[in-house]
Amino acid sequence: MENKLSGIAKKLKTAWERGATDIFIVAGAPMTLKIDGAFADFEEGKLGAGDTRRLIEELYREAGRSMDALTENGDDDFSMSVSAVARYRVNAYKQRGSLAAVIRVIGFGIPDYREMDVPEIVMEQTARTSGLILVTGPAGGGKSTTLACMIDRINSTREGHIVTLEEPIEYLHRDKKCIVSQREICMDSDSFLTGLRACMRQDPDVILLGEMRDRETMSTALTAAETGHLVLSTLHTLGAANSIDRIVDAFPEGQQSQVRAQLAMLLRAVVSQQLIKGVGGKNIPVFEVMVVNDAVRNIIRERKTHQLDGVIRSSSSEGMISMDVSILQRFTAGEISRESAVAHAINTEQMIKRTSSM
């Protein structure tokens, strides 16, 4: 098998075997791996512009993909596989006149949500049959993995048609109880908006929208949830309050009251997550989970999203989790340092006080 692999495929395989999460190909530095949050040289010697071009051209050949998008736009996202090894998500781009790439190692199969420390209350949201569920957080915070676990739970527990719109496709879902249609933006559809509009004619029960980037996509996603579909999507925001404000603020002032009313009616849960580097070097996930109840609906309708943090803190009996409580639990367990806990806290001053007394 090894002898049949191309040069770049062998490198990708070695990175997978070494437990890398990311691979960096940038002129002026050695080919570099990120393993447990730390950088390690993959090979000795710095790469030149010619080296990075050769490696990236090999990546495109291995993926069977044209380099036109990279040439025309200056960057390009795509996914690829090395047979019997793993899947990879590639972002190729131009920098200082040379080509570069960052490759995320994904692997085959869907991770076990328990190994990913996804809270059970998050997985329970997959029993919903309509409405909007948001998974939010910074880039690289684990949103795609959480969503993959949620889609797999739906696929394993009930019948239906799941349509995913992703850029690019990361985890491959095989049909279990559901039929799963996975569409990659730019390859299978021009944009999230056009893909979402077409999706409405594909008899979906569940729609995974990789990202709500603009007002038109947000509006269409709300319409999809309003017409009886379960819509799961992401935002690059941290916290339920910020996520709701981000959607409302995307609309003109004259439409914002209507959008608040729609969100109050359609929103089912907001899951926010981030990864914190642990004391042993491993990335530790922390979560905020807001499940929409009557109190939350009223807050959304009445423009009082600043009160949501208090509702989350006082609703642990309903399964809600505040970000700072999640962080404090990790600190108390000795998994993250005090400095990391304070740096990632929502209420920094409160976290300083609570951690200093331990």
Side-chain angles (χ1 to χ4, degrees):
M1 174 64 189
E2 180 73 24
N3 293 332
K4 295 180 180 179
L5 296 178
S6 66
I8 193 66
K10 289 178 181 178
K11 294 179 188 295
L12 295 176
K13 180 175 186 287
T14 300
W16 164 255
E17 290 171 342
R18 289 180 61 180
T21 56
D22 297 276
I23 308 162
F24 296 83
I25 301 174
V26 182
M31 192 171 178
T32 303
L33 305 181
K34 182 183 278 187
I35 303 172
D36 288 333
F39 290 111
D41 290 351
F42 183 79
E43 296 171 337
E44 292 185 3
K46 295 181 179 180
L47 298 171
D51 300 318
T52 61
R53 172 170 286 278
R54 175 180 54 79
L55 289 167
I56 290 165
E57 286 175 347
E58 284 188 56
L59 277 172
Y60 275 87
R61 282 195 297 271
E62 186 71 25
R65 183 179 177 90
S66 166
M67 294 181 67
D68 290 348
L70 175 60
T71 302
E72 294 171 11
N73 303 324
D75 53 71
D76 186 24
D77 281 304
F78 60 95
S79 57
M80 59 181 292
S81 301
V82 175
S83 180
V85 180
R87 281 181 58 75
Y88 303 84
R89 186 187 72 198
V90 182
N91 178 265
Y93 58 98
K94 296 178 182 178
Q95 69 97 31
R96 293 190 298 173
S98 63
L99 297 184
V102 178
I103 306 165
R104 171 63 53 88
V105 183
I106 301 170
F108 288 120
I110 310 300
D112 187 319
Y113 77 94
R114 289 159 294 207
E115 293 180 3
M116 299 294 106
D117 289 326
V118 178
E120 190 64 46
I121 186 65
V122 174
M123 300 304 294
E124 288 173 4
Q125 302 311 306
T126 60
R128 311 231 185 221
T129 56
S130 65
L132 175 65
I133 298 173
L134 296 176
V135 178
T136 75
K143 298 186 297 295
S144 296
T145 300
T146 296
L147 283 168
C149 293
M150 296 176 77
I151 291 296
D152 187 60
R153 169 70 70 89
I154 295 170
N155 191 16
S156 303
T157 55
R158 67 176 189 255
E159 294 182 347
H161 183 202
I162 301 171
V163 179
T164 77
L165 300 166
E166 304 169 75
E167 187 184 21
I169 293 171
E170 297 189 25
Y171 294 97
L172 294 178
H173 294 272
R174 295 178 174 83
D175 293 354
K176 294 181 180 178
K177 287 193 170 185
C178 291
I179 296 171
V180 185
S181 299
Q182 292 188 260
R183 307 191 68 204
E184 186 164 306
I185 304 305
C186 295
M187 182 176 294
D188 302 316
S189 183
D190 289 339
S191 67
F192 282 116
L193 180 59
T194 56
L196 183 56
R197 286 173 173 167
C199 174
M200 301 294 285
R201 301 187 294 273
Q202 294 157 6
D203 191 27
D205 297 285
V206 178
I207 301 168
L208 169 62
L209 178 62
E211 186 180 343
M212 295 202 295
R213 291 184 175 174
D214 50 50
R215 184 177 69 214
E216 290 78 12
T217 307
M218 291 176 185
S219 179
T220 308
L222 289 172
T223 300
E226 206 166 32
T227 52
H229 305 91
L230 179 63
V231 179
L232 297 90
S233 191
T234 72
L235 288 170
H236 291 299
T237 49
L238 188 61
N242 289 332
S243 301
I244 291 167
D245 289 342
R246 168 72 179 87
I247 294 173
V248 173
D249 291 344
F251 290 82
E253 188 173 347
Q255 297 179 24
Q256 290 182 0
S257 293
Q258 177 190 344
V259 173
R260 285 191 195 91
Q262 283 183 294
L263 283 171
M265 178 178 65
L266 300 171
L267 194 61
R268 301 291 180 259
V270 180
V271 179
S272 289
Q273 62 184 96
Q274 52 183 329
L275 294 176
I276 301 177
K277 189 171 181 179
V279 293
K282 180 182 176 183
N283 285 328
I284 305 297
V286 290
F287 292 85
E288 175 191 279
V289 182
M290 183 190 77
V291 179
V292 177
N293 57 19
D294 288 342
V296 171
R297 290 188 191 94
N298 289 332
I299 285 172
I300 295 172
R301 275 193 294 261
E302 296 172 8
R303 307 184 188 186
K304 297 178 179 178
T305 50
H306 62 279
Q307 296 180 1
L308 287 175
D309 289 343
V311 172
I312 294 169
R313 287 195 300 270
S314 63
S315 302
S316 58
S317 62
E318 297 180 39
M320 297 198 210
I321 305 167
S322 86
M323 180 62 74
D324 283 359
V325 166
S326 182
I327 291 172
L328 193 62
Q329 288 172 345
R330 295 295 195 173
F331 169 71
T332 304
E335 296 175 294
I336 61 174
S337 67
R338 180 171 183 266
E339 291 73 20
S340 294
V342 170
H344 290 83
I346 303 299
N347 189 326
T348 304
E349 290 183 7
Q350 189 66 24
M351 185 62 71
I352 291 172
K353 291 178 181 177
R354 297 180 76 173
T355 55
S356 62
S357 63
M358 292 184 178

